[in-house]
Amino acid sequence: TGHINSKWLASKQSMGNHSDGMDEQEPMSYGIFALLNAISVLVIACPCALGLAAPTAIMVGTGLAARFGILVKGGGATMEAASRIDVVAFDKTGTLTIGKPAVTDSYQTESMPGEFNTWLDACVYELESQSSHPLATAMCTYIRENRPDAVSAPHELLEHTELPGRGMHGTVQMPEEYAQALGWPAVTRARLLVGKDSWVKEEGCRMEVPIETRIRWADSGLTSVTVALAQESADTGCALSSFALTDQVRPEARDVVAKLRKRGIDVWMISGDHPAAANAIAQQLGITNVMAGVLPEQKSETVRMLQQRGVGQETEADMAKCDANETGVGDWMQKWLKVTRRQRKKRPFARVAMVGDGVNDAPALAQADVGISVGSGTAAAMETAPVLLMRSSLYSLLTFLDMSRIVFRRVKLNFIWASMYNVVCIPIAAGILYPAVDRGLPPVIAGLLMIASSLTVM
């Protein structure tokens, strides 16, 4: 009446030790028996193991990544996304290449009088020295080493502006002799354009660089930078000089691309260079997915399309994307959107990592699920990307992806262990074994088990 038989409560009363005189002890009341079981359940159910399962693994993973020269600013969210990456998109210049291009060929007009080419090189040298872009640095080095007279030639650069993805724009004081030779007798100031061929054409400049020269450079995979003068008051001008540059591919780039594809990850190149130059580098590296001639604001849109594209087998339309590059960025985007719509049900989405190094890559790095900046990148890229590869080798990218997968595999194992611990021990602490074996789980033992479960996830 209101009491429990002492034999049934023996394990609780003596912490599992039975003695001959146990049956003579005062029986335990229902209230105390329930209280002891409740304490055991409460101790066992303490979520320490569940609470430590993810943070400890992530903390160890980010610390280990730092030892390998990988700075993960995004923490667990970034590593979780990296553990399930489907697509890796690379910038070309400075990422897949060393980022130290060199001028291999050049063209100068022969239709201008006197020392015009020297004066123009002097203007180009000063304008390009205002930029930190690798191509600008290479052009300054070439002029300084091969045309030293231009460095000290008299000229006047009035203002300058850098247009990401296009080139450098400046205003120069125009000598009267050169203005008359160009058919601009009343012009005293002119716009100086140094950048992509397509941009120079958009500004209304006619190309005086021979078409044969430009075709030869494109077929050789060289990047061309055009120099043009244009009137301030009218969209008319002419391209009077051009430089052809090449950049050395990183020695480990091809192996990194091959290992990414072996892991089942699609590899893309997104570049602002001419399609011929970008495809030449891609062919060396074994990359079949190339998007060339992309402006900085279009890079983020391209990453978004890759995310919407999803995951699955390639179709014939996918394999034709390289041919679409030659027809222009806009046409390619329209074709690719049609492919995306047809396969949306089959491929709902994809997780994309973008690897870049320049100001031009910052929008794409922000759009990607995981933005990764190489150590030699600009401040804008390193500020935007949640992952920084402090070492110059692209092998750090493979290390980061593998480490992210290992860390979250460990997180899952920790959760499984912590959940199994609760599933097994909570019923025992509640007294499920009393009717069968006359044994329970004393609070002290429950506390030791709780500590043991926390240690296992650490």
Side-chain angles (χ1 to χ4, degrees), residues 42-351:
L42 182 64
V43 172
I44 287 292
C46 179
C48 291
L50 288 173
L52 293 173
T56 52
I58 293 172
M59 180 181 64
V60 172
T62 53
L64 188 60
R67 294 180 59 183
F68 285 94
I70 304 168
L71 179 60
V72 184
K73 298 188 294 181
T78 299
M79 298 193 78
E80 181 179 11
S83 67
R84 296 180 288 179
I85 285 297
D86 304 306
V87 179
V88 174
F90 289 96
D91 174 50
K92 183 178 77 70
T93 304
T95 304
L96 291 173
T97 62
I98 295 178
K100 296 181 179 180
V103 176
T104 59
D105 198 2
S106 64
Y107 168 83
Q108 291 181 305
T109 182
E110 298 178 356
S111 61
M112 295 296 291
E115 299 296 325
F116 172 80
N117 286 328
T118 301
W119 171 82
L120 185 61
D121 284 340
C123 295
V124 170
Y125 181 82
E126 183 175 358
L127 180 62
E128 291 293 271
S129 64
Q130 309 301 320
S131 172
S132 60
H133 195 281
L135 296 180
T137 303
M139 291 175 61
C140 290
T141 301
Y142 178 80
I143 293 175
R144 185 170 58 249
E145 295 179 353
N146 297 275
R147 303 170 185 175
D149 294 342
V151 177
S152 58
H155 66 283
E156 188 174 358
L157 178 65
L158 303 178
E159 58 186 21
H160 61 85
T161 305
E162 184 169 3
L163 304 176
R166 292 174 174 84
M168 293 292 292
H169 179 280
T171 303
V172 296
Q173 191 70 33
M174 195 73 180
E176 182 179 358
E177 178 186 5
Y178 303 149
Q180 291 180 352
L182 290 170
W184 307 338
V187 173
T188 59
R189 296 179 9 149
R191 294 186 297 139
L192 176 61
L193 311 176
V194 183
K196 297 171 64 173
D197 294 351
S198 57
W199 173 55
V200 171
K201 292 179 182 178
E202 290 174 1
E203 295 295 322
C205 299
R206 68 179 187 272
M207 300 295 291
E208 291 198 2
V209 182
I211 184 65
E212 298 82 4
T213 300
R214 286 184 281 149
I215 292 176
R216 175 167 51 85
W217 290 350
D219 292 342
S220 301
L222 301 178
T223 300
S224 61
V225 178
T226 300
V227 180
L229 287 173
Q231 298 184 52
E232 280 191 308
S233 57
D235 292 334
T236 58
C238 54
L240 301 168
S241 176
S242 188
F243 296 83
L245 301 94
T246 185
D247 197 359
Q248 184 179 354
V249 173
R250 290 182 183 269
E252 76 278 6
R254 184 176 180 86
D255 187 38
V256 170
V257 170
K259 290 183 177 179
L260 286 173
R261 297 180 66 178
K262 188 176 181 180
R263 286 166 168 79
I265 298 175
D266 288 340
V267 180
W268 280 71
M269 177 195 291
I270 304 176
S271 174
D273 285 350
H274 189 277
N279 286 324
I281 297 296
Q283 188 174 7
Q284 296 181 43
L285 300 177
I287 299 176
T288 57
N289 305 313
V290 182
M291 186 62 178
V294 185
L295 296 176
E297 57 271 20
Q298 294 174 325
K299 284 189 175 183
S300 61
E301 182 63 25
T302 304
V303 171
R304 185 180 295 109
M305 286 192 299
L306 291 176
Q307 292 169 328
Q308 295 172 353
R309 166 179 175 264
V311 186
Q313 297 296 322
E314 301 299 324
T315 66
E316 293 181 1
D318 298 333
M319 300 304 293
K321 57 190 166 294
C322 293
D323 297 334
N325 285 337
E326 302 294 338
T327 64
V329 175
D331 295 338
W332 187 93
M333 286 185 178
Q334 294 176 4
K335 293 181 179 181
W336 189 246
L337 283 174
K338 293 179 181 178
V339 176
T340 302
R341 293 191 190 101
R342 289 199 303 267
Q343 303 191 21
R344 186 66 56 84
K345 294 182 180 179
K346 181 179 179 181
R347 310 176 183 186
F349 64 92
R351 295 179 178 85

